[in-house]
Amino acid sequence: MRRQDRTDLERESPSGNPQAYGCRRYILCQLPEGETEQSQEEKRLELLEIHSGTRRKNWDWEKILDLCEKTYGTLRKEINTVSKVIFELQKAKDQGTNPRIPSDVDINDCHIAKISERWPFIFSWRSTVQHFHQLTEFDIYSSIEDFLEEYGDDLIKFFLRQKKHEVDMKKINKCYEKFSNADNKKGLKLVTILFMLSEYFDEDSSKWLARVDEGITVDTFSEKYDLTAISSTPMVFAVGKVYTAKKFYVAVDKAIETATRTFYEAFLVSFAYYYICGINYPVEASLTMDFVQRGMIGINPKKGTKTQCRKGTRPTTAVSSRLLTLFRKIHFQLQDDESEDVDMNVAEFDRLREQEADDADSS
């Protein structure tokens, strides 16, 4: 029987493409109405002119975001080509095989930095958040903000009750209580929870956050720090101490791409890069990132994962049992505390676990 033609929605969210994991509009089947390749190029050049020819404080963000929205499909086509090459190179390195790169693709041009040269606003936090929304249909800014407001304090209390990590959890919380105030509480609550997640899962927080000396700028960064030595995965750099820093940089594919004034904005951008650029979570921080994905934002695909495979292991599509257990513990703890309206996506995780069991039985 002939297979039915796929719908535009199915083509825009290819289930068999690992880079498209969690994405709803990974590619666009057609340009917006009234748009041509020429008009798209004109809009790209207009964005370049704004970025290079207008002072930052005078940028018209309403216009910029409108242009970014209208050129979304063209930008995705370029990003997808680059991310595919990066993915294949990493896969070949992990497996000790030759990368499968199309003969008409120049590997030397396949770097995220090349994208930023042609589309500089994609790495400004406002347009990054908008692009992530178009790509996944999730508003990362408000999703994490709502999570912190509703569950943040209770989650910190939960981690403080964990006897195995009691000393380190108290140290983390002490910094949070000492430095948080009305102006920076949201970002510091987020970094506190991320530190506690890393501690709970025995993961390496240096895979997503590092400190650099005060006074470092984008221009002087590479003079003091070897960016080629860091991972290609997204990384936040705090200028000075994390809890008191007033500037943060975000790197991806071994290049500084974004500067922000708050950790909240920096982390949102860095996390969005995993999806925008089709990058897997680092193994050493995968459970922490998976918690952000599923618990804070609510991205819960029926199958697949963004966790890198450890060398010598087979790929898996299963949600980690440790992550499921943590969610269930948090759920029951909050119920014991008589919190109202507790869900923490537990029903969704139960569905995922049942799906995995069915898949295992059928294989």
Side-chain angles (χ1 to χ4, degrees):
M1 181 180 292
R2 183 180 177 182
R3 184 169 179 258
Q4 272 190 325
D5 289 339
R6 292 186 300 169
T7 64
D8 282 356
L9 181 61
E10 290 172 328
R11 287 194 293 270
E12 291 182 353
S13 177
S15 59
N17 187 336
Q19 285 87 52
Y21 172 84
C23 300
R24 298 299 301 276
R25 302 181 74 212
Y26 182 72
I27 57 177
L28 288 192
C29 295
Q30 54 189 0
L31 295 174
E33 186 176 354
E35 287 289 324
T36 64
E37 290 186 4
Q38 181 179 344
S39 67
Q40 289 279 289
E41 178 64 9
E42 289 171 355
K43 288 180 174 61
R44 186 187 72 81
L45 293 175
E46 187 175 357
L47 285 167
L48 273 175
E49 176 60 29
I50 294 171
H51 190 271
S52 61
T54 307
R55 297 183 67 180
R56 184 181 296 266
K57 67 177 183 178
N58 295 328
W59 284 351
D60 182 348
W61 275 104
E62 183 176 352
K63 180 177 182 179
I64 291 168
L65 293 177
D66 180 62
L67 289 169
C68 288
E69 182 178 4
K70 290 176 178 176
T71 55
Y72 170 83
T74 300
L75 172 56
R76 280 249 47 95
K77 185 177 180 180
E78 293 191 24
I79 292 176
N80 293 345
T81 299
V82 172
S83 67
K84 175 67 174 176
V85 172
I86 294 174
F87 179 85
E88 290 295 337
L89 290 173
Q90 184 62 49
K91 180 180 176 181
K93 180 180 178 182
D94 292 342
Q95 298 179 354
T97 59
N98 293 322
R100 300 171 60 183
I101 309 296
S103 58
D104 61 340
V105 174
D106 186 351
I107 294 179
N108 295 322
D109 287 335
C110 290
H111 298 283
I112 300 300
K114 294 289 185 179
I115 298 292
S116 66
E117 290 175 6
R118 290 175 49 80
W119 302 87
F121 282 110
I122 183 56
F123 296 113
S124 296
W125 79 266
R126 290 181 181 87
S127 51
T128 298
V129 169
Q130 175 179 275
H131 191 99
F132 182 88
H133 192 187
Q134 289 181 270
L135 179 65
T136 66
E137 297 184 357
F138 283 89
D139 184 338
I140 188 173
Y141 193 99
S142 62
S143 294
I144 295 182
E145 185 176 51
D146 291 345
F147 178 92
L148 294 175
E149 179 66 27
E150 187 168 359
Y151 297 115
D153 293 338
D154 288 329
L155 193 54
I156 289 174
K157 290 177 184 176
F158 168 84
F159 284 125
L160 288 172
R161 292 171 178 168
Q162 305 308 302
K163 297 298 182 182
K164 179 181 176 181
H165 306 279
E166 184 177 11
V167 174
D168 291 313
M169 294 294 188
K170 286 183 177 180
K171 287 180 181 178
I172 296 169
N173 189 59
K174 185 177 180 180
C175 289
Y176 171 60
E177 292 182 337
K178 180 178 180 180
F179 294 109
S180 66
N181 55 52
D183 294 332
N184 67 358
K185 191 169 186 177
K186 180 168 59 178
L188 296 193
K189 183 182 290 187
L190 176 59
V191 75
T192 296
I193 290 172
L194 294 173
F195 276 146
M196 288 181 165
L197 282 165
S198 293
E199 184 65 31
Y200 180 87
F201 288 127
D202 297 313
E203 292 192 327
D204 186 356
S205 62
S206 70
K207 295 299 179 180
W208 50 268
L209 176 64
R211 286 177 51 188
V212 294
D213 294 340
E214 293 185 11
I216 290 292
T217 66
V218 173
D219 294 331
T220 62
F221 201 104
S222 60
E223 296 175 4
K224 189 159 187 178
Y225 299 96
D226 182 10
L227 284 169
T228 63
I230 69 171
S231 170
S232 295
T233 56
M235 171 76 75
V236 176
F237 292 96
V239 181
K241 296 181 179 179
V242 174
Y243 278 87
T244 57
K246 300 298 182 184
K247 180 175 287 188
F248 297 84
Y249 295 116
V250 184
V252 62
D253 196 23
K254 302 181 184 294
I256 300 295
E257 298 292 356
T258 307
T260 72
R261 296 182 182 276
T262 69
F263 175 80
Y264 189 79
E265 294 170 356
F267 181 77
L268 261 58
V269 168
S270 70
F271 189 86
Y273 286 168
Y274 285 113
Y275 289 80
I276 292 172
C277 302
I279 300 171
N280 284 339
Y281 304 144
V283 172
E284 301 88 346
S286 61
L287 292 175
T288 300
M289 296 300 111
D290 215 359
F291 185 99
V292 174
Q293 170 200 318
R294 301 180 188 276
M296 295 188 183
I297 302 174
I299 300 176
N300 285 313
K302 291 182 179 179
K303 291 185 177 182
T305 177
K306 281 193 79 67
T307 299
Q308 291 179 4
C309 295
R310 294 183 183 274
K311 290 184 178 181
T313 63
R314 296 179 61 185
T316 178
T317 61
V319 180
S320 167
S321 60
R322 294 182 66 195
L323 185 65
L324 291 169
T325 299
L326 173 60
F327 267 84
R328 197 158 281 104
K329 284 182 178 180
I330 295 170
H331 174 75
F332 292 135
Q333 184 66 68
L334 295 183
Q335 280 188 326
D336 290 344
D337 290 344
E338 298 182 349
S339 297
E340 297 180 357
D341 225 13
V342 177
D343 58 44
M344 292 294 290
N345 284 328
V346 169
E348 180 66 13
F349 280 97
D350 284 338
R351 181 193 65 74
L352 286 168
R353 192 166 69 169
E354 290 171 2
Q355 178 68 45
E356 289 154 15
D358 292 342
D359 292 343
D361 291 340
S362 61
S363 61

